[in-house]
Amino acid sequence: MLTQISDERRKTRDERKGTRSKKSGVILSEAQSAKSKDLGQIIPLDKSEAPFEIPVNWEWVCIDSIASLITDGEHLTPRRVESFEGYYLLSARNIQDNEILLNNVDYVDEDEYNRIAKRCNPRKNDVLISCSGSIGRVTVVRDDNKYVMVRSAAMIRPVFVHSCYLMYVLQSNCLQSQIQNYSKQTAQANLFQAAIRALQFPLPPLAEQQRIVAKIEEAFAEIDAIEKNKELLKTHIKQTRQKILDLAIHGKLVPQNKSDEPASVLLERITRDNPHYEKLTDVPFEIPASWEWVKYAELVTNISVKNFQVKSSEIQPIGTFPVVSQGQSNIDGFVDDPKKVVHLRFPIVLFGDHTKIVKYIDFDFVVGADGTKVLEAKSAINPKYLYFMTLNIVEKIEDRGYGRHFALLSNSLCPLPPLAEQKRIVDRIEEIFASLDEISLHLV
């Protein structure tokens, strides 16, 4: 096999030498000419110095030994065209592991393509590698597009070596370690042609390369299927959570208990000081007889926290008092000013007026941004039940982007169970959500 590779390399380089005339502006140096003349039988590397043991019918070789061409892209700044037309000009950002990304690619016109292609014209089955910035990403050209490249990418044209085998080898820990070592030998991390040529890898017979590639791609297909199933399961878990909350507010998650004090008593207690309160009649769905419908605003006290807010510039990664805002993070950071702390009598529900983010807070905290609503449950509602009910409501209210949402939440109609049933509902939700959390942990 090494003899075949040597013959093919000699033939290919002779052809390239013959086509490189003075007209093309490319002249072989004496050193390059001597190198071309020395393309005889490839001498494999000494196995005793190899990183690990390989089968007896394999050989350790350098990349230079199995390639008819190794080159990087154009060193001078190419003349790009502004329109999305012409020929693809690849750089390191377009070279990703196992793919060429063309969603952020530059273009050159035909004259510039022809000029650069004399140095580097990747074609189907060539192996491409990123050489600057994020060094060591590798892919294979799998299409017939016409490409040229800039200096930050390089190409290898293998001979009698399966292109995908070479790609997977270059992606392996063994080769990536060599690549990183070579790239660190200069002040600015780069992978130069000489380093690519010197990379050492184990070379099996061609038939075995093909079997290895088939096995790797079979394994990758199985991994992809598992990942897709994980994403599908994550979606199912999210939908299940919402379904549980739906069952809860419909009175179908736990059985009713006739001995529970009915919600009408709770409703009377929280509305007795509101002379404008009217019992709701136009309601969205049927609820148990012991439940009542009530507007969200009747269930909460909106605590004024304007004097407790801090600017983002005041928030530090380490400190005494946690800062909570309407963002995705549970805690944004910390401040040390005790005058800014909101001291809680009971757990509260925090609602993002702009973001619709809902949080359950049971510790003293500092308010991090405008638009953060701090809602304390009135005596008629369990704070945790209020939290779960709010989660359910925000999934259904209109999304106004970064507009205000609190008015929509305040006017939402809420099913109010007896206080004892609220506690049973909360316990059941937490039990189910704990099981779902356990499943989610294994999907990471």
Side-chain angles (χ1 to χ4, degrees), residues 164-286:
C164 288
Y165 173 77
L166 182 57
M167 175 185 71
Y168 291 133
V169 164
L170 286 166
Q171 291 172 354
S172 70
N173 291 338
C174 176
L175 270 292
Q176 285 291 307
S177 177
Q178 294 181 49
I179 287 170
Q180 295 307 315
N181 287 339
Y182 278 121
S183 68
K184 292 175 183 177
Q185 292 178 2
T186 57
Q188 184 175 356
N190 282 289
L191 185 66
F192 296 110
Q193 289 185 57
I196 296 173
R197 295 179 186 280
L199 295 173
Q200 301 178 10
F201 75 101
L203 180 67
L206 184 58
E208 191 165 353
Q209 294 175 37
Q210 293 167 341
R211 292 195 297 272
I212 290 170
V213 168
K215 202 68 177 176
I216 290 174
E217 294 186 341
E218 179 185 342
F220 281 179
E222 291 178 0
I223 292 170
D224 288 342
I226 291 171
E227 290 301 321
K228 287 179 181 177
N229 288 335
K230 280 185 178 180
E231 292 305 313
L232 184 61
L233 188 51
K234 287 177 183 177
T235 300
H236 286 327
I237 289 173
K238 183 177 179 181
Q239 292 171 344
T240 300
R241 289 179 187 275
Q242 194 59 37
K243 181 63 176 177
I244 295 302
L245 297 178
D246 271 335
L247 291 172
I249 67 166
H250 281 74
K252 297 179 179 179
L253 188 63
V254 298
Q256 282 71 53
N257 188 330
K258 292 181 179 180
S259 64
D260 290 341
E261 181 182 66
S264 58
V265 177
L266 301 178
L267 187 58
E268 181 181 353
R269 187 185 307 154
I270 63 174
T271 60
R272 66 174 55 141
D273 295 327
N274 182 2
H276 304 291
Y277 174 76
E278 293 182 3
K279 188 176 177 67
L280 300 172
T281 54
D282 185 14
V283 295
F285 52 83
E286 187 176 344

Side-chain angles (χ1 to χ4, degrees), residues 47 137 229 251 304 325:
K47 290 185 179 180
R137 294 193 299 257
N229 288 335
S304 176
S325 73

